[in-house]
Amino acid sequence: MDTRGFADRLARDAWTSEAVLERTLSPGHPLVAGAPERLLAAMRHAALAGGKRLRPCLVMESARLFAGPAEGAAQVAAALELLHCYSLVHDDLPAMDDDDMRRGRPTVHKAYDEATAILAGDALLTLSFGLVALAEGIDASARIELVAALSVQAGAGGMVGGQALDLAAETSELSEGEIAAMQAMKTGALLTFACEAGAIVAGARPQDRERLRRFGQTIGLAFQLADDLLDETADAAALGKAAGKDRARGKKTLPALHGIDWTRRRLDALVVEAEAILAPYGERAATLIEAARFVANRTS
Amino acid sequence: MDTRGFADRLARDAWTSEAVLERTLSPGHPLVAGAPERLLAAMRHAALAGGKRLRPCLVMESARLFAGPAEGAAQVAAALELLHCYSLVHDDLPAMDDDDMRRGRPTVHKAYDEATAILAGDALLTLSFGLVALAEGIDASARIELVAALSVQAGAGGMVGGQALDLAAETSELSEGEIAAMQAMKTGALLTFACEAGAIVAGARPQDRERLRRFGQTIGLAFQLADDLLDETADAAALGKAAGKDRARGKKTLPALHGIDWTRRRLDALVVEAEAILAPYGERAATLIEAARFVANRTS
């Protein structure tokens, strides 16, 4: 598989997970039956606004590596995307990053109002766990493992904790180690879950789960590094959101500390590391390895 | 059992569920390992601030009615309380009800800051699902049912949806039917879950689950009615929070529409209804029936 091949696969997986999102965020779905119209519309604004759908792709491709059930994988993939979207809605709030635009459209609190944005985020997070619980073709005990792992990676010691540390970094100087730890939580935790979740969905062996988790951690590092590099180099139009914000806020990032060349070399090294982790699976892991390259080299 | 006997039982159940909360919100617990200190402190501020712990008591007493596992029931009870506490933290935010005090102490955004309050709420909600998933002595399939039911009752078609409708009620006139529907979602949904959850924890038969669900709906109605009555009649000191706020905001409540005598008669009728629902269980349901009386007659 090459870059072009991966772009096609990413688009196909996005289409599949978006079909689940569309179905789940419809008034007739049992998990949201009776939801007020305006609240559901805000949830749809947050979750059906496009985006690359990288996390769903990682869930589905990891499940595919171990021949997991496709429909169940797509549902877990969509659940993770709901959770990712809730985190963006809350991060964009005035009390947090205070962003007006996201993916080239008004953020939820701009398009609706602040209270609705808080509640829409809460509802997306709540829905995410319900969707995992009801995923089809997966053992109840594996679904429980998914719920527990998602709670850990998305919670106070994972994504939410990373966001809290990131906010604290605006007013206090972090060491390089602290920056890395914060990013591993803020961005890395969900990417780690994505890769491990596919293995859990497929009932893979513990050592395979561990391998996928390490792969997820590695591309999590690459993702954040590429993000910071973009913040240093790109403009708002390419990103669909404000660029250079971290710099403007005096947040230290690794590219800001070490320069652009160092960052590019580090990204290349992380791709090599990701390839080595998946080497035992040979050609079957080609898509996931392309995903790692995509993460490291992305330009938007 | 009499009123005094129930007060003792409520206190004992509170003690039991608080022990789980204390343990779960400690740095060493696997569900929050690595959480930033300040975030965990804010979560503890929200969840370990006292309160009657009515919802945990309902879970534990419903489980007891069907001889369910005590430890697992206490964990599900604590999980529901975490979820209830997150909803209070977010409801108190400036963009929502904008309350400075809760249970006689500063609200989380006052004691910490707004961003921390948003994140602490998110983390409590996330933790709640993890705690249900890992509850001990309960079949994986029953735990999955609990996660799914909690997601429904706490989500866009349940508690969060009710909160969205409640906010909308500040700017538009609701009919009496719409007020009832809003309250059934905002307050009733979690109380319904509490009662049904005990039956699920205990692996009770579907008809027993249905019965406990109806009991929960009935005391949910009573709870909100008693709450509105208190808002009409009590003062801030007795409530530990601002009183008369609904009136001041022009929110219509049933006591405001029909008067205090009508409300007291309606509360008595709901207790009779609750007793009838649990009649098949005879003396074994005495504690839950006292709980219904407690909910209808509470003065704070």
Side-chain angles (χ1 to χ4, degrees), chain A residues 56-74:
Chain A
C57 171
L58 290 171
V59 175
M60 293 163 73
E61 294 304 329
S62 295
R64 205 166 269 148
L65 179 59
F66 303 106
E71 181 60 20

Side-chain angles (χ1 to χ4, degrees), chain A residues 265-286:
Chain A
R265 281 197 305 277
R266 177 83 182 110
L267 282 168
D268 289 343
L270 286 167
V271 170
V272 171
E273 205 176 312
E275 288 172 349
I277 293 169
L278 297 188
Y281 306 117
E283 259 310 296
R284 286 190 298 138

Side-chain angles (χ1 to χ4, degrees), chain B residues 29-49:
Chain B
H29 195 282
L31 284 169
V32 299
E37 214 171 294
R38 184 178 157 84
L39 177 66
L40 191 58
M43 293 165 73
R44 293 176 63 91
H45 181 98
L48 297 172

